[in-house]
Amino acid sequence: MGELEQAVLDALWDADGPSSGREVHACLEGRDLAYTTVMTVLDRLVAKDVVVRERDGRAFRYAPRLGRAAMTAELMREALEATGADRDQALVSFVGEASAEDLAALRRALADLT
């Protein structure tokens, strides 16, 4: 995902609920973006199944399909699936480069599952 797509997704995550294109555009006002650019990004995120949209009168309201944590987990699963036979090695490499805080969080998560 590109930097602008991530910024739009962050704006949607930070919102209190589904947002209009105008509301997302307003959240990104410091970026000097055209409204049509924001709408194009929203349409691309819908096409990628990252964002869902619902009709609201003549316009649409947009919301992330998943929360931040669930989206991160999905991306991690997709990356692991793409490694094929090297899945174990990818996990070992990831854990080997993890920070002490990340390792502690991983230990807590594993403990919660058992």
Side-chain angles (χ1 to χ4, degrees):
M1 196 171 340
E3 189 269 332
L4 183 53
E5 289 176 326
Q6 186 63 53
V8 168
L9 190 55
D10 286 338
L12 291 171
W13 274 324
D14 292 341
D16 291 331
S19 301
S20 69
R22 295 245 179 250
E23 291 167 336
V24 174
H25 182 251
C27 289
L28 302 171
E29 68 183 346
R31 295 174 152 273
D32 193 31
L33 296 170
Y35 169 74
T36 55
T37 300
V38 173
M39 293 306 299
T40 298
V41 172
L42 285 166
D43 287 342
R44 286 183 183 158
L45 291 173
V46 168
K48 290 180 178 183
D49 198 30
V50 174
V51 168
V52 294
R53 72 176 163 204
E54 58 187 39
R55 187 152 296 276
D56 183 19
R58 294 186 316 167
F60 289 101
R61 298 191 74 70
Y62 299 85
R65 183 175 59 83
L66 299 171
R68 280 185 171 103
M71 175 88 165
T72 301
E74 184 174 275
L75 291 171
M76 291 170 69
R77 278 191 301 276
E78 288 173 2
L80 282 174
E81 288 172 8
T83 63
D86 293 335
R87 185 182 190 120
D88 289 352
Q89 186 60 35
L91 285 168
V92 168
S93 180
F94 173 76
V95 171
E97 295 176 19
S99 69
E101 290 174 352
D102 289 342
L103 290 173
L106 185 57
R107 284 187 188 98
R108 287 191 302 274
L110 289 170
D112 289 346
L113 292 174
T114 58

